Amino acid sequence: MTNSIPELETDSRCILIMGSNTSEGHPLIASRIVKAKERGARVIVIDPRDIQIARLADMYIPFRPGADVAVLNGLMNVIISEGLEDKEFIAARTEAYAEMKAVVEKYTPERVQEISGVPADMLREAARLYARNKPAAIVYAMGITQHTTGVDNVKSIANLAMLTGNLGIAGAGVNPLRGQNNVQGACDMGGLPNVYPGYQAVTSPDAQKKFQDAWGGTADTVVGLTVMEMVNGVGDGTLRALYVMGENPMVADPDLHHARHCLEKAEFLVVQDIFLTETAQLAHVVLPGGAFVEKDGTFTGTDRRVQRVRKVVNPPGNAMADWEITCRLAQRLGAGGFDFASPKEVMEEIARLTPSYGGISYERLEELGFLHWPCPAADHPGTPYLHKGKFSRGQGQFHAVEFKEPAESPDQDYPLTLTTGRLMFHFHTGSMTRRSEKLHQEVPEAYVEIHPDDAARISFKRGQRVRVHSRRGQIELDVRVTKRIKPGVVFIPFHFAEAAANVLTHAAIDPTAKIPEYKVCAVKMETIGVKEAKSQGPS
Amino acid sequence: MEYQNTLTTCIYCGCGCSMYVETIDGRITGVWPDKTNQISGGRLCIKGWNVTGFVGHPDRLKNPLLRKEGKLVEVTWDEALSQVAEKLSGIKRESGADSIGLMTSAKCTNEENYLMNKFARAVLGTNNIDHCARL
Ligand code: SF4
């Protein structure tokens, strides 16, 4: 996030939510937005599903999944043609405006209506609401990024914020909500194939030398493989060993049959986790890690907020905190530089080598509770919002982005668009929440949401189940008929291994960010009769 | 009876709510919201209230497992770690470090992610490290 969460409540005059089911995915950010609304902020929700937060919005705009770039270009088209752009900001702080404008001019509200299904007047009204109520924050999540055009979508969002001068001030900004609790931290810490901690590029000889000197050795300057490339690599034998810590690609990966097929072929698979997950069942070695209450450390929240995690209990049996396992294994391999007595000492090394974490220490976190990075020095107060006065790269760059159709659109054989997402009661692949009794009871089984029109089309009757097919596989599950979804679109939450939505999804990936297109693929559906009664004993 | 309240941060979403985990004699007995936290301000969502629900589950792995004759069987840390170390160094020697890949975790701490990144790059010598940010 360019801005911090509390600013939504205290500063934003408009909040535009796109591709984020905030009430379910990030409940306590949603409650900030509710408070903002009570204070008088305007709220716009743009989403294919009539999600809960849409109920409180001033405007709810449904659209065809995958048409994000068209909608965003349409909003900018209106803002420019009505003279609502921030001319001063554009002149002083940005470049490539003319190129962007030339593309956006082609996306008139009428044309966007044709592409996306958003009525032209609704688009105009939303554009005015956003542009006239500054500071305005854009909040988005995986609904924006999980497309073959994910990077285009994100660029378009940045365009919209820069066009209206909504960067570098409190309550504005471009605010991706991260799905998992420490995605931000995993990225910050070099858990990526192209960067060292603090986003220092592996391709930079200077960065390489810095880590070479600090660690006494490091990799070359060639970017490594992404998750999807690694899964494919073990499948075709180019990758001989895969070490997976705390991830479950067997449920989280798109096109699961393919993922299973690949992982089954792994010559050597190590899985470190707290449960024998679907992935761990395929492993050659399984190492029992520690849960978050069994270790000290820090997490970095979606608004770059670094906070402490504290050990409460010991891991069960012979299980061990993950940081300790890595240190022991490294020492087993004869490596120096892994003799840390505690995570506190690891943070001291992180601070030495990561400029944006330079001023972060356990002592300061103890005193202050949290620090927002960038926090370059021990006397720096941290940075709640980015880009004040100047962008880190100098001038803000506009991007001319054309709308592209998703990799797989519905057709005669597969007439419906499937979109996937999260539920409030479960977390990711469900390995933790589905083992929490209370959370499990709330939503014990997978289901598909369909519109009454589509239910009628397949002669669906109450109590029946359906089989959903895509070109990659099929699953059977319960049905919820609801007007909250657009006709022609179906929604399946992806938390359930036995009816995993990702059996159906498409492994097409964004060419730059390599994010799979979870949010759009083509499916068909048929009813398969009534489910057996689930009650136990004679009925 | 020893009663303790420990302040920590939620494992579920990226909001960053913090909470007190209550223990009696080393057993988790409750979760309480943290009034001073800027995000949660004394509240939690249903996942937060149940954040420790899975911790004591009987399915928790308690020992390292090694596949022997097709089956995963419990072994000591010593045996498991030497197996991993031996295999990884053998593969590195034969086919180079880039024939090994690592997935780190958005559920683990910053320190753990940092160490995995250091392990991949400094010990094995590969940039093949990623996590599920994209997923
Ligand atoms: S309590 Fe709920 S909203 Fe807060 S971090 Fe945990 S899961 Fe997210």
Side-chain angles (χ1 to χ4, degrees):
Chain A
M1 291 173 73
T2 59
N3 290 57
S4 73
I5 294 165
E7 292 165 43
L8 291 172
E9 182 181 334
T10 51
D11 299 279
S12 304
R13 287 185 59 221
C14 177
I15 300 169
L16 170 65
I17 304 169
M18 191 160 178
S20 153
N21 185 357
T22 328
S23 339
E24 303 226 13
H26 297 85
L28 281 157
I29 292 180
S31 66
R32 290 301 163 127
I33 296 173
V34 173
K35 290 239 181 80
K37 173 78 184 147
E38 285 164 3
R39 175 178 53 77
R42 316 300 293 269
V43 177
I44 307 168
V45 174
I46 307 181
D47 203 283
R49 297 167 65 219
D50 180 7
I51 47 180
Q52 198 187 336
I53 196 137
R55 307 285 164 86
L56 76 89
D58 294 271
M59 284 191 80
Y60 164 58
I61 305 175
F63 74 106
R64 173 167 76 93
D68 310 65
V69 167
V71 173
L72 290 160
N73 278 350
L75 291 170
M76 291 189 273
N77 179 292
V78 175
I79 289 168
I80 295 171
S81 65
E82 299 192 0
L84 300 173
E85 75 276 24
D86 185 336
K87 296 181 186 72
E88 217 174 292
F89 185 91
I90 295 167
R93 296 199 46 192
T94 70
E95 57 197 32
Y97 175 62
E99 290 87 327
M100 189 276 296
K101 186 175 168 202
V103 166
V104 161
E105 269 168 355
K106 298 187 285 181
Y107 290 81
T108 60
E110 284 68 27
R111 178 164 171 232
V112 172
Q113 174 169 349
E114 243 167 66
I115 300 173
S116 68
V118 177
D121 283 337
M122 209 180 207
L123 194 76
R124 288 198 178 89
E125 202 187 317
R128 290 173 198 142
L129 207 55
Y130 172 77
R132 286 189 181 139
N133 288 286
K134 206 164 152 180
I138 306 174
V139 169
Y140 70 92
M142 291 302 208
I144 283 291
T145 51
Q146 283 179 350
H147 291 280
T148 43
T149 57
V151 169
D152 285 351
N153 292 351
V154 172
K155 283 180 182 162
S156 298
I157 283 184
N159 282 343
L160 178 59
M162 286 196 294
L163 181 67
T164 48
N166 272 306
L167 280 170
I169 51 174
V174 169
N175 300 294
L177 304 183
R178 304 300 207 141
Q180 304 218 34
N181 66 311
N182 203 31
V183 170
Q184 184 68 55
C187 294
D188 297 348
M189 291 300 109
L192 292 170
N194 59 337
V195 286
Y196 287 105
Y199 306 95
Q200 303 173 74
V202 298
T203 51
S204 147
D206 290 346
Q208 193 205 27
K209 177 160 189 324
K210 170 176 170 180
F211 285 93
Q212 174 84 35
D213 293 349
W215 290 341
T218 191
D220 55 25
T221 53
V222 178
V223 172
L225 302 176
T226 63
V227 165
M228 300 263 305
E229 289 165 340
M230 288 191 237
V231 170
N232 290 332
V234 291
D236 65 25
T238 49
L239 207 63
R240 292 184 58 194
L242 183 63
Y243 189 129
V244 180
M245 171 172 83
E247 296 262 324
N248 193 7
M250 275 296 301
V251 179
D253 267 18
D255 192 358
L256 280 186
H257 288 323
H258 174 69
R260 163 174 280 276
H261 179 74
C262 291
L263 291 175
E264 274 172 355
K265 285 204 202 151
E267 181 183 334
F268 187 57
L269 177 64
V270 182
V271 175
Q272 181 172 320
D273 211 310
I274 60 175
F275 293 115
L276 195 64
T277 60
E278 291 76 9
T279 308
Q281 286 165 25
L282 301 177
H284 299 94
V285 184
V286 179
L287 304 175
F292 75 115
V293 283
E294 295 156 5
K295 53 177 80 153
D296 283 305
T298 54
F299 285 154
T300 302
T302 191
D303 61 353
R304 295 168 285 104
R305 178 189 304 260
V306 183
Q307 301 186 106
R308 275 298 311 277
V309 176
R310 290 184 182 84
K311 182 172 172 181
V312 182
V313 290
N314 288 320
N318 291 313
M320 206 188 283
D322 299 80
W323 67 270
E324 232 180 309
I325 300 176
T326 309
C327 288
R328 287 222 195 167
L329 180 60
Q331 287 170 330
R332 216 21 104 111
L333 280 156
F338 282 84
D339 45 358
F340 299 99
S342 69
K344 178 173 182 286
E345 293 182 11
V346 182
M347 181 53 84
E348 286 161 11
E349 182 169 313
I350 294 170
R352 273 200 303 281
L353 294 170
T354 314
S356 52
Y357 278 68
I360 294 177
S361 65
Y362 280 27
E363 287 82 3
R364 290 192 76 195
L365 290 175
E366 208 59 57
E367 184 193 324
L368 302 168
F370 66 91
L371 278 162
H372 291 283
W373 69 258
C375 176
D379 56 358
H380 190 284
T383 311
Y385 63 90
L386 300 175
H387 310 311
K388 189 176 178 179
K390 144 171 167 310
F391 291 106
S392 37
R393 67 176 291 277
Q395 293 298 89
Q397 177 93 28
F398 278 108
H399 292 275
V401 185
E402 293 275 10
F403 163 70
K404 288 189 216 78
E405 285 289 343
E408 188 180 72
S409 294
D411 54 23
Q412 258 185 333
D413 297 338
Y414 295 90
L416 299 165
T417 301
L418 166 69
T419 181
T420 66
R422 293 170 200 277
L423 296 178
M424 184 185 319
F425 304 108
H426 287 294
F427 180 70
H428 215 57
T429 66
S431 61
M432 295 187 291
T433 46
R434 296 191 78 202
R435 287 188 178 88
S436 293
E437 203 177 326
K438 285 210 186 78
L439 297 175
H440 179 65
Q441 279 164 3
E442 293 283 348
V443 188
E445 273 191 86
Y447 62 87
V448 54
E449 269 184 12
I450 63 177
H451 189 272
D453 293 356
D454 294 315
R457 212 159 287 136
I458 57 165
S459 320
F460 171 78
K461 284 181 208 61
R462 259 184 91 96
Q464 283 181 320
R465 283 162 71 83
V466 293
R467 188 176 297 129
V468 182
H469 305 254
S470 78
R471 289 191 173 83
R472 291 153 295 277
Q474 57 182 54
I475 59 175
E476 293 174 6
L477 64 186
D478 286 347
V479 175
R480 292 192 185 176
V481 178
T482 169
K483 286 199 175 134
R484 290 173 58 182
I485 193 148
K486 266 170 80 78
V489 179
V490 302
F491 168 79
I492 303 178
F494 66 67
H495 310 290
F496 304 91
E498 68 279 8
N502 288 330
V503 166
L504 306 171
T505 48
H506 201 286
I509 53 178
D510 181 285
T512 320
K514 313 224 165 126
I515 301 179
E517 186 147 60
Y518 286 131
K519 294 298 176 194
V520 191
C521 77
V523 296
K524 65 181 174 190
M525 210 165 50
E526 70 206 8
T527 53
I528 50 167
V530 183
K531 182 168 56 169
E532 323 99 61
K534 257 209 251 109
S535 63
Q536 285 157 10
S539 54
Chain B
M1 206 170 77
E2 201 191 315
Y3 175 85
Q4 262 186 331
N5 255 323
T6 312
L7 183 62
T8 193
T9 303
C10 185
I11 182 76
Y12 283 129
C13 83
C15 286
C17 301
S18 55
M19 64 245 316
Y20 287 93
V21 177
E22 175 196 81
T23 53
I24 296 174
D25 290 339
R27 284 195 42 228
I28 295 174
T29 46
V31 170
W32 303 102
D34 166 23
K35 271 222 163 115
T36 65
N37 180 276
Q38 263 203 338
I39 310 296
S40 49
R43 292 184 308 156
L44 294 170
C45 81
I46 182 167
K47 283 189 295 249
W49 281 109
N50 290 284
V51 72
T52 59
F54 66 91
V55 172
H57 194 283
D59 286 354
R60 281 292 302 274
L61 292 167
K62 297 177 191 72
N63 286 293
L65 307 173
L66 186 63
R67 192 170 294 278
K68 289 184 177 168
E69 287 158 18
K71 274 218 216 54
L72 286 170
V73 294
E74 292 193 348
V75 294
T76 61
W77 274 106
D78 196 49
E79 189 174 351
L81 289 177
S82 14
Q83 179 70 15
V84 178
E86 221 170 87
K87 271 280 188 185
L88 292 183
S89 47
I91 289 175
K92 179 180 167 178
R93 202 167 43 240
E94 288 163 24
S95 311
D98 287 337
S99 59
I100 303 171
L102 297 99
M103 292 189 200
T104 185
S105 175
K107 290 191 277 291
C108 285
T109 62
N110 288 329
E111 291 76 2
E112 289 168 338
N113 278 288
Y114 173 82
L115 289 173
M116 270 301 255
N117 133 86
K118 185 175 177 181
F119 180 73
R121 294 184 161 118
V123 181
L124 297 177
T126 180
N127 285 314
N128 292 341
I129 178 167
D130 196 12
H131 69 285
C132 70
R134 297 178 177 82
L135 308 186

